[in-house]
Amino acid sequence: MTTKTALWTTPSDVEVAATRTFDAPQELVFDAFTKPEHIVHWMLGPEGWTMPVCEIDLRPGGRWHMVWRRADGTEMSMTGEYLEVTPSSRTVQTESWGPEWPSTVNTTEFIAEGDRTTVVQTMKFPSKEARDRATETGMKDGADISYDRLATYLATLS
């Protein structure tokens, strides 16, 4: 059964990790995290956001860019570069929310467990202070909402 919330840990002073298991095969979960046609359905955080821009060049050195928009027109964007791509099992990428936030290096592992997949996303910040500031933004709540939406979305695909 899909776990209902992610397990959040701090593997080091500069890292935050989220672990969540989904009732879907590894390849499908990997695709849901790396293909724009899937991402726009679930990676939206709290209700009221859409993703009008989702561009991904899934290869080492490839760039990605996402823009979220609320009904009131408020926007936020995120960009990065893939450092490593191992199809169906792992990605490593940079992530930047803009000049007021430090860039992170995010490693996402997709671990097959029969017809289920455990995803471990580890975000590495440049300092403990940067990590703590990011965790105070409500990112965990937004991610948990998105993961719940992903679990529902995956059920429609498998």
Side-chain angles (χ1 to χ4, degrees):
M1 177 166 183
T2 301
T3 54
K4 298 299 180 195
T5 59
L7 170 65
W8 289 89
T9 59
T10 50
S12 76
D13 283 349
V14 296
E15 294 174 308
V16 174
T19 303
R20 172 102 181 228
T21 300
F22 297 95
D23 286 328
Q26 181 185 33
E27 186 173 328
L28 181 58
V29 176
F30 182 86
D31 286 352
F33 273 79
T34 58
K35 292 188 175 181
E37 63 265 29
H38 296 305
I39 292 169
V40 299
H41 291 284
W42 69 270
M43 194 183 291
L44 303 173
E47 289 301 318
W49 290 90
T50 61
M51 187 182 289
V53 177
C54 183
E55 301 166 344
I56 294 176
D57 182 5
L58 187 64
R59 61 181 177 82
R63 307 271 317 152
W64 59 272
H65 177 226
M66 297 174 190
V67 176
W68 289 263
R69 182 180 298 140
R70 276 199 295 211
D72 68 4
T74 302
E75 287 189 350
M76 64 180 188
S77 68
M78 186 167 64
T79 60
E81 178 182 339
Y82 286 99
L83 305 175
E84 177 186 329
V85 177
T86 306
S88 299
S89 65
R90 178 180 161 101
T91 62
V92 180
Q93 65 200 53
T94 62
E95 177 180 293
S96 176
W97 286 90
E100 66 278 4
W101 291 96
S103 292
T104 60
V105 175
N106 302 344
T107 301
T108 306
E109 298 176 281
F110 302 85
I111 303 158
E113 299 172 353
D115 287 339
R116 301 172 74 212
T117 304
T118 295
V119 176
V120 180
Q121 286 189 294
T122 305
M123 295 148 272
K124 185 174 184 180
F125 294 84
S127 68
K128 181 182 186 310
E129 294 75 25
R131 181 201 69 184
D132 293 348
R133 181 175 170 230
T135 59
E136 292 167 2
T137 65
M139 73 176 209
K140 292 178 183 179
D141 294 336
D144 282 335
I145 291 166
S146 290
Y147 289 151
D148 290 345
R149 196 178 288 117
L150 174 57
T152 300
Y153 178 70
L154 288 168
T156 70
L157 300 176
S158 40

